[in-house]
C-alpha cells in the first residue's frame, strides 16, 4: 500500500487536469493548446458524461483521463485510457497504481465492458506497469500481438 489515493475528478478539477496534461505534453515535446483552452475543453467534456477523469494527490500530482463510447459487442460502454500522467518527481511511488485502482473501481461500477490503452513500443516501463495491473497486449484467445493503427485527418 503506497499511501496514495485517487478520486474521481469533477468539472471543478478542470484547471488542475489542464495543468497536468499541459505539463505531460511539454515533458514529451508534444504541442499543447495551453492550460486556458484545455480548461475550457475539459469543463465541457467532463460535464458531457463521455469523458471521465481521476486525480491523485492533494494538490493533484497525477491524473488519468478516459473517454467512453458504445460498442456492438458489449452491453456497457468501452473505455479508452487517453491520458495517464504522474509528475516526474513523484513517479515510481504508487501514485499511478492508485489512479488505475480508481479507474477499475469506477469502470466496474459503471458497467464498462473493456478498457483500451495505446502504448508506444519503446515505452517498456509503461508496458510493464500496465501488465502488472492486468492489461494485456496479446489477443486473449490466439495470443497474437495486438497493434494499434491510426490515420490522422
Ligand atoms: C506511467 C506512469 C503514469 C506510472 O505512474 P507511477 O506513479 O510512476 O506508477 P507506480 O509508482 O504506481 O508504478 C511504477 C511503475 O511504473 C513504471 N514506470 C513507467 N514509466 C515510468 C517513468 N517514466 N518513470 C518511473 N516509472 C515509470 C515503473 O517502472 C514501475 O514499474 P515496476 O514497478 O514494474 O518497475 C508514470 O510513470 C508517468 O507519468 N510516466 C510518463 C507518462 C507516461 O508514460 N504515461 C503513460 C502513457 S500510455
Amino acid at each position: 500500500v503506497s499511501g496514495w489515493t485517487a478520486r474521481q475528478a469533477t468539472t471543478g478539477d478542470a484547471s488542475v487536469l489542464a495543468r497536468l496534461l499541459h505539463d505531460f505534453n511539454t515533458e514529451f515535446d508534444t504541442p499543447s493548446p495551453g492550460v486556458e483552452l484545455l480548461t475550457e475543453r475539459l469543463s465541457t467534456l467532463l460535464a458531457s458524461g463521455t469523458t471521465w477523469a481521476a486525480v491523485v494527490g492533494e494538490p493533484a500530482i497525477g491524473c488519468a483521463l478516459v473517454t467512453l463510447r458504445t460498442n456492438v459487442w458489449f452491453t456497457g460502454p468501452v473505455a479508452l485510457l487517453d491520458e495517464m500522467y504522474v509528475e516526474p518527481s513523484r513517479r515510481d511511488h504508487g501514485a499511478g497504481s492508485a489512479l488505475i485502482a480508481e479507474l477499475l473501481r469506477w469502470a466496474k461500477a459503471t458497467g464498462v465492458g473493456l478498457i483500451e490503452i495505446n502504448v508506444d513500443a519503446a515505452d517498456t516501463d509503461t508496458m510493464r506497469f500496465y501488465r502488472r495491473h492486468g492489461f494485456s497486449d496479446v489477443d486473449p484467445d490466439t495470443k497474437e500481438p495486438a497493434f494499434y493503427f491510426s490515420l490522422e485527418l
Side-chain angles (χ1 to χ4, degrees):
V1 180
S2 66
W4 290 108
T5 14
R7 62 167 176 86
Q8 180 169 340
T10 67
T11 48
D13 295 305
S15 63
V16 169
L17 286 163
R19 182 185 48 78
L20 287 164
L21 295 179
H22 177 80
D23 290 351
F24 186 3
N25 276 19
T26 306
E27 179 183 342
F28 292 97
D29 296 321
T30 306
S32 160
V35 175
E36 206 174 312
L37 192 70
L38 280 171
T39 302
E40 262 173 56
R41 271 188 207 164
L42 285 160
S43 303
T44 309
L45 292 173
L46 289 167
S48 77
T50 56
T51 296
W52 177 91
V55 287
V56 63
E58 203 62 60
I61 53 97
C63 66
L65 194 84
V66 161
T67 45
L68 290 171
R69 66 173 196 281
T70 56
N71 182 292
V72 71
W73 303 115
F74 293 91
T75 312
V78 164
L80 180 67
L81 180 58
D82 288 316
E83 313 295 341
M84 169 91 186
Y85 179 70
V86 170
E87 282 178 6
S89 66
R90 308 301 186 101
R91 283 179 200 154
D92 238 350
H93 291 91
S97 296
L99 286 167
I100 294 283
E102 173 59 13
L103 166 62
L104 294 179
R105 181 203 64 74
W106 162 81
K108 283 171 191 162
T110 310
V112 169
L114 178 77
I115 303 173
E116 298 174 320
I117 316 171
N118 302 319
V119 185
D120 293 340
D123 291 346
T124 51
D125 286 345
T126 307
M127 286 199 250
R128 194 176 59 246
F129 171 79
Y130 289 130
R131 282 197 191 101
R132 185 151 51 79
H133 288 285
F135 294 85
S136 170
D137 60 345
V138 297
D139 182 288
D141 300 320
T142 63
K143 306 291 176 220
E144 286 201 288
F147 291 100
Y148 163 64
F149 287 59
S150 70
L151 173 66
E152 198 164 320
L153 300 174

